[in-house]
């Protein structure tokens, strides 16, 4: 079967990632566009747990496509959860509605490490299958592969679930660097395998989510995190697809996160994109960065902020419009639709004007 | 009655705040040193609610003194809660154990504003009384007055309690700036009255806690927050005591937070103090910034990190050692004792060596 492969010449998203953005289109997609805020998603999820939904190619395909159909965004993001590859590798965990991931036996000592075993592609046939179906359906719209980064995965495994301060994670990191690096090496293998499987099945780009890494200083990031994220991004880089690297509150970490092997750096809303571009030496494409907390504001405010993001993003050699973090569960899809339409209708004019 | 007034000549804490730090002592205190982590605190709080404990001068005095007695820190922090002045001003709220502040009727529209009335000093006689007792007991150890800043207070009033993303707060801010500024003006009056009462009763310094302001971009901070924090700090500044201004995740906000009228800028653990000093143009004393999440690590790690904080703090014209946020509830007091002793025993040598 011959599958149409999206190319930078045809995909505004891939062109922006490649720092070859044309001024006729600002591409846009939203983190968490597939899932929790869409009524059609809630309908197909009735009676099916999160982890079960991620293991069913028919559902993954449907849920991934829903926002593409609805909004006309420039990329699809593979519907999954950062815990899926850990579950597939045999870690005993669940995703509890209203709480998040819950790890049956947290990983805190050297002897716990045996419970984090390598992932092989044949343990995730439903991922390969779903990606194949998706690229056939998506045609010229690229599919972005999805995985959590070693630090963020480790934080769940060590804490046993979501955390406010990552105290156990940080304590392990600094007090047993040998255990920490062993753990993150294992997680890097798992993340890399999960992403490579998606790319080999046809994903045209990847995003590595290190959502909680902004809780670290730059020095600790460089010592304890960057090498492991770099090994994930390197494994994917060999396949030639663009790599997006994202975290929240990472103003101090943009350079080392870029240097870990990113083509596109995701930026949250705390820093304007032109400032992020300065910090990165005008060498990377940027993704972001409308504050998702503002989506509940009246439309004229959302529109003004959307325009400001596009204008600031014009400083960078490539700009993929996105939120600064995931779509909040209570977001009105009609607002996201208006954002997409504004970006598509006004984006190129705003970019041109901002660069005069 | 003549009360001994701490002076910069005698108090290492006040000398550091005044940017006249002598190399013979690095002063140290801890945010949240009074309260939740101390067994002697838990004993006196049995059967007494948080808000009730803050309204009893005998308890406030005892709880404020407990960490000074135990640790030998260089300053006391007035035991209270940021909600106390709002409660005193008539806002219907409670502090629910395990949850935090809960507002009976959140403030979200212009017509809600009438429920945020001015605070007068005669509504908080227990504060004045407790401060008087404390300064008499503390002698040469300064008492730091305590209040929440308008943004952080507003976030609780608008959300109705703690929040992860401050979506309602931000939506109000940007969509109804008139209501927002009216609300924050009222909160600034309340905070200022609360702090001025403490200073007039004898507090030798103040700290304005804008704990959650790091969720904003610098542009929104400048427009929506800084003027109100500035009016609080200005009211206190007329009384001549040093003003500490603190928030979490404020790497992008250090300059405007300093410019709001701070003498000492509190820094969390994400930025080394020498970098904070560079961003602030070497013009402010700094407070911080050991990561509280590391207090559970083995002592050699905590000691190494403590020394690194002192060394980086030597760059600033004044350094008050502290954590980068409050003492976690499960902290072992013995660890804090070792930190205090290390700062006192090794601090001056580390400072001198760092400046060679």
């Amino acid at each position: 079967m011959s599958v149409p492969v999206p190319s930078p010449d045809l995909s505004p998203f891939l062109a922006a990632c490649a720092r070859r953005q044309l001024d006729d289109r600002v591409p846009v997609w939203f983190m968490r566009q597939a899932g929790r805020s869409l009524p059609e998603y809630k309908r197909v999820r009735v009676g099916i747990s999160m982890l079960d939904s991620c293991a069913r190619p028919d559902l993954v395909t449907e849920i991934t496509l829903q926002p593409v159909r609805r909004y006309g965004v420039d990329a699809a993001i593979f519907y999954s959860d950062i815990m899926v590859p850990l579950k597939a590798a045999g870690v005993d965990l669940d995703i509890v509605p209203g709480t998040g991931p819950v790890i049956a036996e947290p990983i805190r000592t050297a002897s716990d490490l045996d419970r984090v075993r390598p992932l092989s592609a044949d343990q995730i046939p439903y991922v390969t299958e779903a990606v194949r179906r998706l690229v056939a359906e998506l045609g010229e719209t690229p599919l972005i592969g999805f995985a959590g980064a070693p630090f963020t995965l480790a934080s769940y495994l060590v804490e046993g679930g979501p955390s406010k301060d990552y105290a156990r994670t940080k304590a392990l990191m600094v007090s047993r660097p040998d255990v920490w690096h062993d753990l993150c090496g294992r997680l890097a293998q798992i993340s890399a395998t999960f992403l490579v499987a998606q790319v080999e099945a046809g994903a045209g780009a990847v995003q590595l989510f290190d959502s909680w890494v902004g809780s670290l200083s730059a020095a600790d990031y460089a010592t304890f995190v960057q090498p492991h994220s770099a090994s994930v991004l390197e494994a994917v880089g060999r396949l030639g697809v663009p790599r997006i690297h994202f975290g929240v509150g990472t103003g101090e970490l943009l350079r080392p996160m870029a240097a870990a092997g990113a083509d596109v750096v995701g930026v949250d809303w705390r820093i304007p994109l032109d400032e992020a571009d300065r910090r990165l030496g005008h060498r990377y494409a940027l993704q972001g960065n409308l504050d998702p907390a503002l989506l509940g504001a009246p439309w004229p405010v959302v529109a003004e902020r959307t325009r400001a993001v596009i204008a600031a993003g014009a400083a960078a050699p490539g700009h993929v419009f996105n939120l600064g973090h995931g779509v909040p569960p209570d977001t009105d899809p009609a607002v996201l639709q208006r954002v997409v339409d504004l970006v598509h209708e006004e984006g190129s004019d705003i970019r041109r004007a901002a660069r005069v």
Side-chain angles (χ1 to χ4, degrees), chain A:
Chain A
M1 187 178 79
S2 154
V3 172
V5 177
S7 86
D9 298 333
L10 296 167
S11 159
F13 166 77
L14 291 175
C17 291
R19 287 157 270 191
R20 295 197 276 121
Q21 187 155 14
L22 299 176
D23 271 347
D24 63 350
R25 178 94 158 189
V26 176
V28 51
W29 70 281
F30 303 113
M31 291 183 275
R32 293 248 199 197
Q33 66 187 14
R36 59 192 187 176
S37 67
L38 292 181
E40 57 267 39
Y41 166 77
K42 291 172 194 157
R43 281 196 294 274
V44 301
R45 268 288 308 280
V46 170
I48 302 168
S49 77
M50 180 77 206
L51 285 171
D52 285 347
S53 74
C54 294
R56 281 182 47 181
D58 58 334
L59 275 179
V60 172
T61 303
E62 167 60 19
I63 294 168
T64 300
L65 290 172
Q66 283 174 347
V68 181
R69 282 188 212 119
R70 180 189 265 269
Y71 297 129
V73 285
D74 296 275
I77 177 87
F78 187 67
Y79 171 75
S80 189
D81 185 276
I82 62 170
M83 292 294 132
V84 164
L86 297 181
K87 179 84 175 176
V91 177
D92 186 3
L93 62 87
D94 198 5
I95 298 177
V96 178
T99 299
V102 174
I103 313 301
E105 297 173 86
I107 307 292
R108 291 173 185 167
T109 66
S111 62
D112 295 332
L113 289 170
D114 288 345
R115 285 189 275 115
V116 184
R117 292 185 292 274
L119 179 69
S120 67
D122 57 18
Q123 289 171 299
I124 45 171
Y126 44 86
V127 170
T128 306
E129 171 64 19
V131 171
R132 284 198 185 120
R133 289 192 197 194
L134 277 164
V135 295
E137 293 266 356
L138 283 163
E140 293 299 339
T141 303
L143 174 68
I144 304 171
F146 166 97
F151 172 82
T152 293
L153 294 177
S155 78
Y156 286 107
L157 290 182
V158 176
E159 305 289 339
S163 172
K164 278 165 94 170
D165 58 6
Y166 310 100
R168 288 176 184 277
T169 309
K170 290 177 177 180
L172 177 67
M173 179 187 286
V174 299
S175 59
R176 288 298 304 269
D178 54 333
V179 176
W180 174 260
H181 285 298
D182 190 329
L183 173 60
C184 287
R186 291 165 188 254
L187 295 172
Q189 186 278 333
I190 291 171
S191 282
T193 301
F194 195 61
L195 283 179
V196 166
Q198 294 171 65
V199 174
E200 290 186 336
V206 298
Q207 177 157 327
L208 188 64
F209 285 78
D210 211 354
S211 304
W212 310 136
V213 81
S215 60
L216 296 180
S217 69
D220 284 342
Y221 180 82
T223 305
F224 296 110
V225 178
Q226 197 202 33
H228 305 292
S229 297
S231 91
V232 179
L233 292 169
E234 186 186 294
V236 181
R238 285 194 287 267
L239 303 175
V241 299
R243 298 156 293 177
I244 310 168
H245 198 185
F246 171 77
V248 179
T250 54
E252 310 299 326
L253 307 180
L254 293 177
R255 273 176 174 273
M257 287 182 73
D263 302 289
V264 185
V265 178
V267 182
D268 86 355
W269 63 90
R270 290 175 174 87
I271 303 177
L273 291 178
D274 49 355
E275 171 61 20
D277 183 63
R278 267 192 295 277
R279 291 185 194 182
L280 288 166
H282 197 59
R283 294 193 297 133
Y284 296 88
L286 298 180
Q287 179 175 280
N289 71 344
L290 183 69
D291 187 347
L294 293 176
L295 292 171
W299 173 248
V301 174
V302 179
E304 179 207 332
R305 296 295 179 121
T306 299
R307 292 185 186 106
V309 166
I310 299 168
H319 175 214
V320 177
F321 189 97
N322 206 315
L323 305 177
H325 197 187
V327 175
D330 60 353
T331 301
D332 177 1
V335 174
L336 290 184
Q337 184 66 68
R338 293 184 82 168
V339 171
V340 170
D341 293 345
L342 190 159
V343 173
H344 285 161
E345 286 160 18
E346 301 183 27
S348 61
D349 285 348
I350 296 170
R351 272 182 75 82
R352 272 193 216 99
R355 291 218 301 266
V356 169

